[in-house]
Amino acid sequence: MLTMSSITVQRGRAAKADLGAALTNLSADLTAPVTLSDAAGASFYLPSYRPAAQQQGGHEAFATTLGADGTLTLFLEAGMPDDLAGERNGAAPLMDGAAFTLVLPANGARFPLRVTPQGAMLQLSVQLAGAQRDMVRTALFDATPNVAVEVLHTVLVAAPQSSAFIERNWADDAVRTGLLDLFGGIPFDAASTYFQMASDTDPDFPQQYLLLACVYSASVGVPPLPGYLQWQVSWNGRAYNYYQDNREHTHVFFLPDRFEFARGPTGEPTISLLQFSVPEGATSIEQTRASFRYFGNPVVEPTRIDQAARALQERLGVAVQMISIEDGHDVKKTFSQYLPNSEASSESGNLMVQPQADVNLAQGLSNQLDLNLTQFRALWAAICSDAPEKTLFRGWVDIELSAGRYADRIDFNGRLAAGNRTSFLDDILDVSTSNTYATDFNINTVPAVFKDHPELLEIALTFAGNKPVLLDPATPKATVRLERPIRDIILGQGAANEHPYQMRVVRDDGAERHGNFSTDCAVPSLWIKQSMIDACTDDA
């Protein structure tokens, strides 16, 4: 509520026709005028300022905000004072002459506020920058901020020079001095003696007015910015952070313990998925691309949350509702991860922020990578590794609350348990895409192989995943299209740049000999030499 701050007498013995823009106060009490009237007879009252309602229809409205550009916006309601209830009689709130200033009493900082009327509401704003913005923001994140709007309302008041007015305000030094100056400053001990003298000197004196510049002031508390209060509760020897809403004090937010690499919810677009593609005209399997979408499952230990709820209820003195921080306000999430360079030359990888990642702290983390085959092989090897020094594919989600006032981190464990790795790869592999790499191979035999060894009847070459290629004296060469499953390369079943094959040699006495070989994929030609025949053994 506005209260009198200062009075300055501007002039006295003014006729009603000379009041100009002054507002008439018929009450003898200047400290709390009932209503004020202008020359046209319109009535006004000095409003009572209060923070605007924060909830309307179940939705938040007129909340204090601090924009990205540093603009602080808050709302006040200009209402009728309680002691005027029932006496309004068409009076309107007096808004002219009001000035609003944001005040931080702790350090004396003051910021003039711009005013934009919005019906019965006033939108107040100021643009802050740098240290000033940070100082105000920090103060407003407290549950009960030590921040106020100072209202100074200057009103030019015309007060009738009545006996009641003079008696009521004689003790005010400014009013008494102003009255005495009307008659040369002659001192009078009592208001009644002064009024009698003034009326005798000028019979019109009681019908004239004293013009006063009255300054009324009020201090209105500023509601907090949506923010948090941090609490720590230990569980299993580790301290966990919890965040209490600074406005809804029974709401406490928790973070997941960690993210685990997982398949993800069936049928959801975030499910882990691996797709290979071989470019048209590729001359090497190394040109294969891997599109890898992966899911991180948020792990929350229910026992930890239950224990924290009990501990916080005892500490805060109220029953608390534990809520995922995903449902909090102004939660900034940043996912960073160790990923391989284009040559996958390090088992540690390079730490890279993943701005395209979709991070939901309640439902899960999803991200997608486009990799070459070398990168994905290194990534999968790390996923299947138990070595703690390997950081590749590990990462974390950084959480920032209250514009950086609080920070937290949730680890992403990009590892699979032994015994689950091959089946996991098969589960996430999209079999509708290109999962093999095909090349045409020319297979020839050195002429001396059959010519100098008539006992050789047949040579059979069996490449992994392909039908046998048969060579004999009548057909000493062949062309075959070889396909290599990319899955097998990922699982370490052969080098990426080699085609393994088995050779079976059949002699005219029915004896068979076998040998295991491989050929360079980059050279689409294979020559069967005598040394290879000799290397075959009787072991199948």
Side-chain angles (χ1 to χ4, degrees):
M1 181 176 177
L2 290 168
T3 58
M4 178 63 72
S5 177
S6 67
I7 301 174
T8 302
V9 177
Q10 293 197 340
R11 67 188 179 97
R13 303 175 69 178
K16 189 171 185 178
D18 299 329
L19 298 183
L23 300 177
T24 304
N25 176 24
L26 299 180
S27 169
D29 187 1
L30 288 174
T31 61
V34 179
T35 56
L36 302 168
S37 303
D38 64 10
S43 296
F44 301 91
Y45 61 87
L46 290 175
S48 177
Y49 296 98
R50 62 182 68 91
Q54 299 294 298
Q55 297 287 332
Q56 283 196 351
H59 300 283
E60 189 174 56
F62 306 112
T64 304
T65 61
L66 183 61
D69 64 348
T71 299
L72 175 70
T73 304
L74 51 98
F75 296 86
L76 295 184
E77 181 182 0
M80 177 175 282
D82 294 338
D83 55 1
L84 291 185
E87 299 183 21
R88 181 170 180 173
N89 296 324
L94 179 64
M95 305 305 299
D96 292 341
F100 301 85
T101 304
L102 186 73
V103 179
L104 278 67
N107 55 22
R110 300 171 63 85
F111 305 95
L113 295 166
R114 296 185 299 273
V115 183
T116 304
Q118 294 187 353
M121 302 290 180
L122 295 179
Q123 176 183 297
L124 307 179
S125 61
V126 60
Q127 190 161 23
L128 305 167
Q132 293 179 338
R133 177 196 58 212
D134 296 341
M135 173 179 62
V136 172
R137 180 168 54 198
T138 298
L140 287 176
F141 276 142
D142 287 342
T144 54
N146 186 18
V147 182
V149 172
E150 177 189 84
V151 184
L152 292 179
H153 208 142
T154 302
V155 185
L156 183 58
V157 175
Q161 297 168 173
S162 64
S163 174
F165 172 81
I166 294 174
E167 288 281 354
R168 175 70 183 238
N169 297 283
W170 187 255
D172 186 282
D173 290 340
V175 173
R176 184 177 66 254
T177 300
L179 289 170
L180 292 175
D181 287 346
L182 297 179
F183 294 95
I186 300 172
F188 287 87
D189 293 333
S192 58
T193 305
Y194 173 86
F195 181 77
Q196 185 63 50
M197 179 278 301
S199 300
D200 290 344
T201 303
D202 182 359
D204 292 330
F205 182 85
Q207 284 75 47
Q208 295 170 341
Y209 293 83
L210 191 66
L211 296 185
L212 308 165
C214 298
V215 179
Y216 298 91
S217 65
S219 180
V220 184
V222 177
L225 286 169
Y228 304 91
L229 302 175
Q230 186 187 71
W231 301 96
Q232 281 194 344
V233 179
S234 295
W235 186 74
N236 281 354
R238 173 187 166 186
Y240 287 83
N241 293 326
Y242 299 88
Y243 298 93
Q244 181 187 22
D245 193 300
N246 66 345
R247 297 179 301 172
E248 297 288 343
H249 294 172
T250 61
H251 291 179
V252 176
F253 298 93
F254 64 86
L255 279 66
D257 297 69
R258 62 191 179 278
F259 286 100
E260 293 280 2
F261 178 40
R263 293 180 180 87
T266 303
E268 295 295 324
T270 55
I271 190 171
S272 293
L273 182 68
L274 175 61
Q275 296 174 310
F276 292 116
S277 61
V278 180
E280 188 72 26
T283 58
S284 168
I285 195 171
E286 296 291 354
Q287 294 173 267
T288 301
R289 304 297 301 181
S291 176
F292 183 33
R293 185 178 71 209
Y294 55 96
F295 179 79
N297 185 49
V299 178
V300 178
E301 297 291 346
T303 306
R304 172 175 71 87
I305 305 304
D306 291 343
Q307 191 265 348
R310 292 192 295 271
L312 291 171
Q313 179 175 339
E314 182 177 346
R315 192 179 303 180
L316 301 175
V318 295
V320 298
Q321 181 181 357
M322 305 299 286
I323 307 168
S324 169
I325 193 66
E326 181 63 30
D327 297 325
H329 40 74
D330 299 327
V331 181
K332 182 180 178 182
K333 300 166 282 189
T334 306
F335 179 45
S336 301
Q337 192 174 28
Y338 288 98
L339 296 173
N341 58 26
S342 58
E343 296 82 21
S345 56
S346 168
E347 291 186 346
S348 299
N350 300 322
L351 184 62
M352 302 175 67
V353 174
Q354 300 295 291
Q356 76 281 1
D358 181 11
V359 181
N360 186 300
L361 299 170
Q363 299 179 5
L365 176 157
S366 181
N367 193 32
Q368 185 156 338
L369 302 173
D370 179 60
L371 306 166
N372 63 41
L373 188 61
T374 300
Q375 288 175 306
F376 184 76
R377 292 187 71 200
L379 212 61
W380 190 256
I383 289 170
C384 298
S385 172
D386 297 319
E389 67 274 9
K390 283 190 176 182
T391 58
L392 196 59
F393 202 59
R394 296 188 188 274
W396 56 78
V397 175
D398 283 314
I399 305 297
E400 185 178 293
L401 304 174
S402 296
R405 185 179 189 181
Y406 301 117
D408 230 310
R409 177 170 287 181
I410 309 164
D411 287 336
F412 171 79
N413 180 27
R415 296 295 182 264
L416 291 174
N420 185 36
R421 296 160 181 170
T422 300
S423 62
F424 189 99
L425 180 66
D426 289 336
D427 282 348
I428 68 172
L429 183 60
D430 184 355
V431 296
S432 68
T433 59
S434 300
N435 291 316
T436 60
Y437 175 74
T439 52
D440 290 329
F441 256 70
N442 295 317
I443 303 173
N444 301 276
T445 55
V446 176
V449 169
F450 285 114
K451 182 179 179 181
D452 297 344
H453 299 276
E455 72 277 10
L456 286 182
L457 298 181
E458 182 181 79
I459 300 173
L461 304 178
T462 303
F463 292 85
N466 295 268
K467 294 180 180 179
V469 178
L470 302 179
L471 303 174
D472 56 38
T475 312
K477 60 182 179 179
T479 299
V480 62
R481 188 166 185 80
L482 299 179
E483 293 189 352
R484 286 211 60 194
I486 300 173
R487 168 193 178 277
D488 294 351
I489 298 171
I490 300 301
L491 293 175
Q493 298 173 5
N497 59 349
E498 293 182 351
H499 267 304
Y501 64 92
Q502 185 183 69
M503 179 186 295
R504 179 172 58 88
V505 178
V506 181
R507 299 179 179 273
D508 57 6
D509 60 0
E512 295 186 3
R513 306 186 76 185
H514 302 83
N516 293 308
F517 304 92
S518 65
T519 185
D520 190 343
C521 297
V523 182
S525 179
L526 172 63
W527 285 88
I528 305 301
K529 302 176 183 179
Q530 185 61 46
S531 59
M532 299 164 65
I533 303 295
D534 295 340
C536 293
T537 65
D538 293 334
D539 297 330

